[in-house]
Amino acid sequence: MKPPVTDLPIETADSGFYSGFSVNVTVTSKLAIGALVIWAVAFPDQAGAVLSGLNSFILSNFGTWYIYVMASFVIVCMLLALWPTAGRLKLGHADDVPEFSNFSWFSMMFGAGIGVGMLTWAVAEPVYHFNNNPEVIQGLVEGGTPENFINAYQWSYLHWGFSAWASYAIAGLALAFFAYRRGLPLTIRSSLTPLFGNKLSGVLGNIVDIVAVIATVLGVAQTLGFGVEQFVAGLSRIGIGDWLITEDGTASSLGIIVAIVIIMGASTLSALSGVGKGIKWLSNINMGLSIFLLAFLMLFGATWFGIQALFIGMWEYILNLPSMMFTVYSGDGTEGVADNLENWQGAWSVFYWAWWVAFAPFVGLFLARISRGRTIREFVLGALIVPAIMCFVWFSFAGGTAIQMELSGQANGAIFGAPDGDKIFAMTGLMLGDVLGWCMAVIIVVLLMTYLVTSADSAVLIVNTINAAGDEGPKARPHIIFWGVALGAVVTALLLVGGLKAIQTAMVIGALPFSLVMVLMWIALIKAIYKDGKRQELGLETTHNVESTS
């Protein structure tokens, strides 16, 4: 049996501004992102119409693809955790030990992966599904009633649970496996070597990495877009200025620009310090503040309501997970129940699946960078189960408190009627009153800021790692600053052109090519693990101290 591929040469510049970078990948990615920004700013109406048309086409023709792809990620993760050959393999050499403690590992993983979304959607999504979900559309239960409470949670858990983290785990595991066991560059193309071999050194590999960079920028832009809206709402709540928001409660153009300058400026400074300094400390800070906020909601919110949402909701979610993962709603053109179900699934499930796929190269590469020395079973269970349960806890106590306050009449529509980003501020304000509510709003704004900065600076470092052919070393300041500015420009341009809908549309389009790459990643990973098992049986080396014959 041939030894594994342990060498994948990637051409990089030897000198000049792009020294150490793959010029083809870096320049092409910059041109693509730059063209999107210029197009959106110079021709906003045309850009909006074209992006909307493409978005509708993708949702209509590839919605089923996204649903089955995400289901495959969950199945593959379960297989890898249970497969003895896979579970005991270490991401690295036998004597490698994890660089970070479990607490720091979980903190960085959660903060970069989903953390910022908790502050918007832990309240907003259960509230929405409490009023409308597939069971309500089919007439099985009445929306906005206690009978619909658990339905709201099983759908929220579907979108933020195992499926989301399975996509991150697949990407991270594939990258870590081939980087630390094979000695290949820590870049997306390396994870496909069992399928394409050294062909990935050329044009094919460049295309894979370019697709990953574009998906990363657009996926993180979606997260920052939601975060910017909430950040502006928080600043307005603590009295920074009414000029930050419009009459309908959304961020004004000037508010968006100010928020982006603050967030991207801080994130660029953090990115310049690297993973071990700025990002690690920010992750620990936002995990500490998250625990404080969550403890407050558990102790002073709707505690019993939240406990029911957590345990009964998880039970129903796990029981119904197979059917929810694989069910595809198809319309019949009559604008009746079938069409409403298809529209709901496109607006929620398919949108989330595209978002998580677009986010996967960023989170996956970041997980790979912080997971050397862990076994595959430890990685899969750690990256899949622990963060998902944290999401469930957040949703149950934050969303449960909001729903209980509305059902009891305490909120009197103040939470349901607030914009999504403002719901958590409306809820805590009603719970604590003016003075203490203002103090909690300050804490939430600081927490949101740390999450946004963590996500943005991690994305800048990840994009530069891919552009530098997997080199994890420090990058020249101009490259870090460029991608910080570029990411901010994408978010600003799309928000100003069409709001969050424009970012969502661009993200769904950018995620589609990478969804194919991710399917190939898990196929390649299973093939590599199977071959390593056979090599171990024959007493052959499976790590990169063996020379490649490819």
Side-chain angles (χ1 to χ4, degrees):
M1 178 179 286
K2 291 183 178 180
V5 174
T6 58
D7 183 38
L8 185 66
I10 301 175
E11 184 180 358
T12 57
D14 295 326
S15 60
F17 181 74
Y18 289 106
S19 178
F21 284 82
S22 169
V23 176
N24 292 326
V25 173
T26 306
V27 173
T28 305
S29 300
K30 287 181 176 181
L31 290 174
I33 297 300
L36 174 63
V37 172
I38 294 171
W39 182 40
V41 173
F43 307 100
D45 294 337
Q46 181 193 61
V50 172
L51 289 175
S52 180
L54 285 172
N55 182 60
S56 298
F57 174 79
I58 289 174
L59 291 179
S60 299
N61 294 277
F62 293 93
T64 301
W65 162 259
Y66 273 123
I67 290 168
Y68 289 147
V69 163
M70 292 299 290
S72 75
F73 296 158
V74 176
I75 293 170
V76 170
C77 282
M78 294 170 63
L79 171 66
L80 292 173
L82 297 173
W83 186 7
T85 299
R88 62 174 176 262
L89 292 178
K90 182 172 281 192
L91 300 176
H93 292 283
D95 57 350
D96 284 344
V97 295
E99 179 182 358
F100 301 100
S101 68
N102 286 336
F103 180 81
S104 290
W105 188 51
F106 289 130
S107 296
M108 288 188 284
M109 182 163 51
F110 187 76
I114 280 182
V116 66
M118 290 296 94
L119 296 178
T120 299
W121 296 108
V123 177
E125 185 160 348
V127 163
Y128 182 91
H129 296 323
F130 180 65
N131 291 296
N132 189 44
N133 59 56
E135 283 74 22
V136 173
I137 294 172
Q138 295 173 83
L140 301 176
V141 67
E142 184 180 351
T145 62
E147 290 74 23
N148 192 40
F149 176 55
I150 295 303
N151 292 328
Y153 273 92
Q154 68 175 2
W155 288 107
S156 298
Y157 291 167
L158 172 69
H159 297 147
W160 293 81
F162 300 142
S163 299
W165 287 96
S167 65
Y168 302 158
I170 291 293
L173 183 58
L175 289 163
F177 184 92
F178 292 103
Y180 304 138
R181 290 188 63 82
R182 298 288 193 261
L184 299 178
L186 187 61
T187 189
I188 306 298
R189 72 176 79 187
S190 298
S191 62
L192 303 183
T193 49
L195 301 180
F196 303 107
N198 285 335
K199 293 179 182 178
L200 292 163
S201 290
V203 174
L204 178 60
N206 291 339
I207 292 173
V208 169
D209 283 347
I210 291 167
V211 165
V213 169
I214 294 173
T216 297
V217 171
L218 295 178
V220 175
Q222 179 70 71
T223 298
L224 294 178
F226 284 130
V228 163
E229 289 279 356
Q230 189 170 35
F231 185 64
V232 170
L235 291 177
S236 177
R237 282 274 179 173
I238 62 178
I240 296 299
D242 293 336
W243 52 272
L244 292 170
I245 59 174
T246 60
E247 292 182 358
D248 62 358
T250 59
S252 66
S253 297
L254 186 56
I256 290 171
I257 294 171
V258 169
I260 286 293
V261 169
I262 294 172
I263 293 165
M264 296 312 302
S267 67
T268 302
L269 291 175
S270 178
L272 289 169
S273 69
V275 175
K277 295 179 182 178
I279 296 176
K280 176 183 175 180
W281 285 108
L282 277 173
S283 297
N284 288 340
I285 289 171
N286 60 37
M287 180 59 79
L289 290 176
S290 297
I291 292 172
F292 168 78
L293 180 57
L294 182 58
F296 165 77
L297 293 171
M298 294 174 72
L299 293 173
F300 301 105
T303 305
W304 177 242
F305 212 69
I307 290 172
Q308 292 181 79
L310 178 60
F311 290 102
I312 301 176
M314 282 180 60
W315 175 253
E316 291 296 323
Y317 163 66
I318 292 171
L319 284 180
N320 296 311
L321 182 59
S323 64
M324 289 193 297
M325 280 199 310
F326 286 103
T327 296
V328 178
Y329 295 118
S330 298
D332 56 13
T334 63
E335 297 185 4
V337 171
D339 284 344
N340 289 336
L341 286 170
E342 182 183 35
N343 292 336
W344 183 94
Q345 190 171 53
W348 285 96
S349 299
V350 175
F351 159 69
Y352 271 123
W353 299 162
W355 188 7
W356 302 151
V357 167
F359 221 47
F362 153 55
V363 181
L365 210 154
F366 186 73
L367 289 182
R369 289 187 66 172
I370 64 176
S371 300
R372 183 169 192 155
R374 298 184 184 273
T375 65
I376 289 180
R377 181 174 292 112
E378 181 184 9
F379 179 94
V380 170
L381 295 179
L384 183 67
I385 295 177
V386 175
I389 291 176
M390 281 295 295
C391 290
F392 298 158
V393 172
W394 263 100
F395 272 70
S396 61
F397 288 96
T401 297
I403 292 173
Q404 194 275 336
M405 290 175 70
E406 289 286 4
L407 284 176
S408 68
Q410 180 183 354
N412 196 28
I415 300 174
F416 284 5
D420 290 337
D422 196 39
K423 281 183 167 62
I424 192 170
F425 296 107
M427 180 182 72
T428 54
L430 287 170
M431 291 173 66
L432 295 171
D434 292 339
V435 177
L436 291 179
W438 182 88
C439 293
M440 182 60 76
V442 171
I443 292 173
I444 294 173
V445 167
V446 172
L447 176 58
L448 178 63
M449 176 75 174
T450 61
Y451 271 134
L452 289 170
V453 171
T454 300
S455 296
D457 62 11
S458 299
V460 170
L461 290 174
I462 293 310
V463 166
N464 276 306
T465 298
I466 298 173
N467 287 335
D471 180 13
E472 300 177 69
K475 305 299 185 296
R477 289 176 180 269
H479 296 287
I480 293 175
I481 294 171
F482 172 86
W483 285 108
V485 172
L487 185 54
V490 169
V491 177
T492 304
L494 292 177
L495 278 177
L496 294 177
V497 166
L500 289 171
K501 184 66 177 177
I503 297 182
Q504 175 184 334
T505 299
M507 180 274 298
V508 169
I509 296 169
L512 183 61
F514 193 71
S515 66
L516 174 60
V517 173
M518 285 197 65
V519 171
L520 296 176
M521 287 172 79
W522 70 250
I523 293 173
L525 180 63
I526 289 178
K527 179 181 179 181
I529 292 173
Y530 173 77
K531 289 289 186 71
D532 271 9
K534 292 298 182 182
R535 291 187 183 98
Q536 287 182 336
E537 291 177 3
L538 297 172
L540 301 176
E541 292 286 349
T542 60
T543 50
H544 64 86
N545 57 330
V546 61
E547 294 182 1
S548 172
T549 61
S550 298

